[in-house]
Amino acid sequence: MGEVKISASGIRKVYNSGGANEVLAIEDLNLDVEKGEFVSLLGPSGCGKSTFLFMVGGFEKPSGGSLTLNGDPIRGPGANRGIVFQEYVLFPWQRVSANIAYGLKIAGVSRAEQEKRIAELIAMIGLQGFEDAYPESLSGGMKQRVAIARALAYDPEILLMDEPFGALDAQTRSRMIADLIRIHEATHKTTLFVTHSVEEAILLSDRVALFTARPARIKEIFEIDMPHPRSVTDDVFVAYEKAILDSLEEEVSKTISAERAS
Ligand SMILES: Nc1ncnc2c1ncn2[C@@H]1O[C@H](COP(=O)(O)OP(=O)(O)O)[C@@H](O)[C@H]1O
Ligand SMILES: [Mg+2]
């Protein structure tokens, strides 16, 4: 067993508790993530994946259970967690370099150190030559590269990604996946990656945590025992894909029947 970074035990999350539109999003979710692990969170739409990620990010509080980072309860957001969302949350009025340096500037990092860090990150995400570009002139994939660089700028312990490639075309997406694998191999950041793509999850992850239909708990964890780079046509890959899809389909049907009943 490696060192446990994130530990979720008996997590429960209720939105609008006691109100007419109360939603039980998560109930009895248990998950430990070790240092350096890449774990994907997969499950039916609306089951509670983002909710869980936001709780780890410190933006939402669990209604019950224990959620810890390095053994300490998560009380709010912090620089030790870098976040990348599906939508490109860049500042349109700032150049690429300033977008990446945003957190460093706030933290009072020296100008020289900022420059050094920006150069490293630009190289890591492969955006050399675009330091002075404004976000509007970048493609979707490039914007997500900047968002990843910004999340890594602080050298956080944890990287939280919520469907970061969901809005990208297939080609851009497979390049981003390859790059994220490379970045993970270089940085060994403990990563939680929400996706609705089984393929993406298998390509990237050490483990795939499959959530049940709402209220979410962990249904099954698939340990992906394959070296990188992984090929989607590999028999082992196809076998994982089938197993995960079958299990996911069950939860999706439950979600659909629940929606019909309500
Ligand atoms: N701020 C909120 N207030 C009330 N309900 C919410 C809120 N955020 C999410 N929900 C509900 O909680 C459930 C889980 O949502 P979410 O975590 O976004 O699912 P996922 O990311 O798996 O698609 C959904 O039913 C959603 O409508
Ligand atoms: Mg979501």
Side-chain angles (χ1 to χ4, degrees):
M1 262 309 257
E3 178 189 333
V4 174
K5 270 278 161 196
I6 303 162
S7 181
S9 169
I11 295 296
R12 176 182 167 84
K13 176 66 184 179
V14 189
Y15 286 110
N16 307 319
S17 184
N21 42 5
E22 180 177 287
V23 176
L24 177 57
I26 293 178
E27 185 153 63
D28 198 22
L29 188 146
N30 301 286
L31 179 69
D32 278 359
V33 179
E34 287 179 18
K35 185 175 182 194
E37 253 196 315
F38 194 115
V39 175
S40 283
L41 311 180
L42 194 66
S45 168
C47 76
K49 302 179 296 294
S50 295
T51 297
F52 180 66
L53 204 75
F54 291 165
M55 289 194 290
V56 176
F59 301 108
E60 287 285 351
K61 282 192 175 31
S63 313
S66 140
L67 183 61
T68 62
L69 175 58
N70 300 321
D72 301 320
I74 293 173
R75 295 187 201 287
N80 55 1
R81 282 148 289 161
I83 305 195
V84 182
F85 299 98
Q86 178 174 344
E87 317 77 49
Y88 319 114
V89 279
L90 301 178
F91 301 122
W93 61 88
Q94 286 188 343
R95 296 173 196 275
V96 163
S97 53
N99 264 288
I100 295 175
Y102 174 72
L104 300 174
K105 217 167 175 176
I106 290 182
V109 171
S110 75
R111 187 75 206 174
E113 186 60 32
Q114 282 184 40
E115 297 289 341
K116 183 167 161 274
R117 197 71 192 120
I118 291 168
E120 284 170 8
L121 289 160
I122 289 276
M124 183 181 283
I125 57 167
L127 279 186
Q128 295 94 329
F130 291 93
E131 293 84 348
D132 295 333
Y134 285 98
E136 64 171 11
S137 68
L138 303 178
S139 68
M142 288 159 98
K143 284 184 203 167
Q144 273 319 51
R145 287 171 191 277
V146 178
I148 293 170
R150 187 165 69 184
L152 288 170
Y154 251 164
D155 200 18
E157 294 174 67
I158 312 278
L159 197 52
L160 303 172
M161 306 180 93
D162 195 353
E163 306 201 26
F165 308 150
L168 304 177
D169 63 83
Q171 241 175 28
T172 306
R173 189 158 157 176
S174 50
R175 272 210 308 277
M176 296 296 289
I177 290 171
D179 278 357
L180 185 56
I181 292 167
R182 183 177 50 74
I183 291 170
H184 185 252
E185 283 175 346
T187 63
H188 298 289
K189 294 287 174 213
T190 310
T191 305
L192 280 182
F193 185 94
V194 171
T195 180
H196 59 255
S197 160
V198 174
E199 187 177 293
E200 210 169 270
I202 304 172
L203 282 170
L204 285 161
S205 314
D206 297 312
R207 289 191 297 155
V208 177
L210 182 63
F211 281 33
T212 61
R214 194 163 57 79
R217 53 183 170 73
I218 303 292
K219 181 186 187 193
E220 212 173 337
I221 292 184
F222 297 86
E223 197 161 339
I224 311 298
D225 190 9
M226 290 179 80
H228 291 288
R230 296 171 179 169
S231 159
V232 297
T233 53
D234 190 312
D235 288 348
V236 181
F237 191 104
V238 173
Y240 276 124
E241 197 170 27
K242 174 156 185 9
I244 296 174
L245 268 175
D246 284 352
S247 196
L248 174 62
E249 279 303 322
E250 266 179 34
E251 298 311 308
V252 172
S253 338
K254 280 182 206 163
T255 306
I256 294 168
S257 345
E259 275 164 8
R260 286 219 181 96
S262 69

